[in-house]
Amino acid sequence: MPVSNTQDTHWLPSGMFLPGSNEEWKDLIIKELKGISYDTLQSQTEDGILLNPINTQDVEKSIPYFSDPAWFEFLRNIKPPNLRTLQSATNVFDQEKESNFSTDTLCLAISDFGSIPKELFQPHSSYWVDMRFPYQADQVDQLLHAGNKGFGRWDLAGVPMHTQWPADFSPYAFRADLYHHQGSNGTQEIAWVLHDLVQWLHEWTEKGFSVEQVQSLIHFRFSLGTELIGSVAKIRAFRGLYFRLMKQYGIENPLQPQILTDESLRYYSSLDSYNNVLRAGTGAFAALSSGCTTFEIHPFSPSGSEETGNRLSRNLIRLLKEESQVGRTADPLGGSWALESYTWQLMQEAEKLLLNTEAQGNLADSFKHNILEQTRVQLSQSFNKGKTRLIGVNYQAARYSVAPNVFSFQGMPQPLFRLAEPFEQMQSAAHSLPGYSIEFLCPEKLCQARADFIRQFMGVCGLYQSNDRSSLCIVCGKDEDYTTQENLDKMSTLSKEVTLVLAGKPSEGIEQLKEAGIREFIQVNSDRIALGKSLHQWMQQA
């Protein structure tokens, strides 16, 4: 372990776990890389932000919020979180006795006003009510005078501004999750939900209300994905910019924004519901560790048991809160300098985009639409080429005995950009296709890594190896084997009977291989969707 001095560290015995300088750590890492470039350890997020392999406390010197105690405390929301999970109202009351789960600690997601149990409308009720759709005026009045408090997820235009809202009730929703499910990245979600807020505040103040009056009447909705650090950084960066925005409006002590979160459907798969559980668990941990108000877990499978799915949803939150002790820890990710660096960079990029969007004036919506289209293309290209991975979808896909069902359930936001959808369609279309064969040009153990990659790649395309000769044959070997005359002659003979595809793409001899009958090359950066569709077509034509 790197050693920069001989001073004792706290109560540890002399010489143990001594702090090391950045240079010492970097030298140790370079030594372990054994010739691989150190720069390859840098990773890039969906927002285009570079994450360094080493992040230390020195990052504090370059981040302004560390020198502003009020801003720092607001951004991190250092009070222990009190996260609740959202469930359907009827489901909760039907299962309460069986599951031994108290409705007193539950946040209800109500999508059908007529099905709300009568128990909700009691004067002593303390439920948090989350309404998905616009309501009629008499229904709103009935709900408000029932003694409930919580969150209403209405369209902004559908809620009268002069309504006398009960204490602790936040009727005005600002939906970053809608941008997320259309394909936006974290920078865009933060910038555009704040842009929506600024536009609304402008309308409000023109009617004679103050910004300070409306702080308690608004809440925000975010979707959290499979990247833990990215999801936490998104919530923290939003808080940081919200604080600065409220200060610009002259509010000295802004209220913490109420932040409702749910699991991102962008990363859900209808083919792999068990991995959906893990994805939801990551989102729930991000919501809990970033101090969000609620977290909603969507059904894990379109065909799974509603009772089982809801039980798993509740238990995810209960396990995190009651067994991990994260819920009893203030700022559980404090001291993660990679998170601090990511948060600050995200905050800066979101602020730039917010100002740029504001400058568009009446063309802001068109500006957002064009950027969203570009972002969707970039995300799809990265995902289709395997640069970002989703287990069970574009990487390590399982084989299914029946064709998968279409992923759909009540309440799914529209439009919905879901990365797994093209893969599900491709794998479903391949269900009736025959298998493929592999022709080894050397003993398999000499090219085992390449052979394993090919089987994994083909599984993503919905195709699986067969012991019989197939109309599609993958030629596999070492690069130096491919261009020997003997093997070129062998490929030329095979190509007269079957469609040949090569595993890998050697740097030399490409034209010779094409002349020998090779139709396509499968490599790490191959587009799984484009190549998969070509493979399907060749097998259908055989």
Side-chain angles (χ1 to χ4, degrees), residues 403-421:
N405 295 322
V406 177
F407 189 92
S408 179
F409 61 88
Q410 184 180 6
M412 179 182 289
Q414 296 294 338
L416 174 62
F417 172 74
R418 196 163 54 84
L419 290 167
E421 188 170 0

Side-chain angles (χ1 to χ4, degrees), residues 134 288 330 516:
L288 190 62

Side-chain angles (χ1 to χ4, degrees), residues 242-287:
Y242 179 83
F243 179 87
R244 294 180 65 178
L245 180 64
M246 292 296 104
K247 296 285 278 189
Q248 288 180 3
Y249 278 107
I251 301 175
E252 288 301 318
N253 297 301
L255 298 176
Q256 272 287 350
Q258 301 284 357
I259 301 177
L260 282 67
T261 56
D262 67 354
E263 172 60 19
S264 170
L265 290 170
R266 180 190 295 178
Y267 306 98
Y268 260 31
S269 165
S270 65
L271 305 182
D272 202 355
S273 57
Y274 290 108
N275 271 328
N276 288 342
V277 178
L278 299 178
R279 293 167 191 136
T282 302
F285 185 85

Side-chain angles (χ1 to χ4, degrees), residues 65-79 236 239-240 243 254 256-257 290 331:
Y65 60 70
F66 277 103
S67 59
D68 184 338
W71 188 11
F72 179 74
E73 181 174 336
F74 188 94
L75 181 146
R76 301 181 74 144
N77 191 22
I78 62 174
K79 297 178 182 178
R236 295 173 76 251
R239 276 203 181 95
F243 179 87
Q256 272 287 350
S290 57
D331 190 21

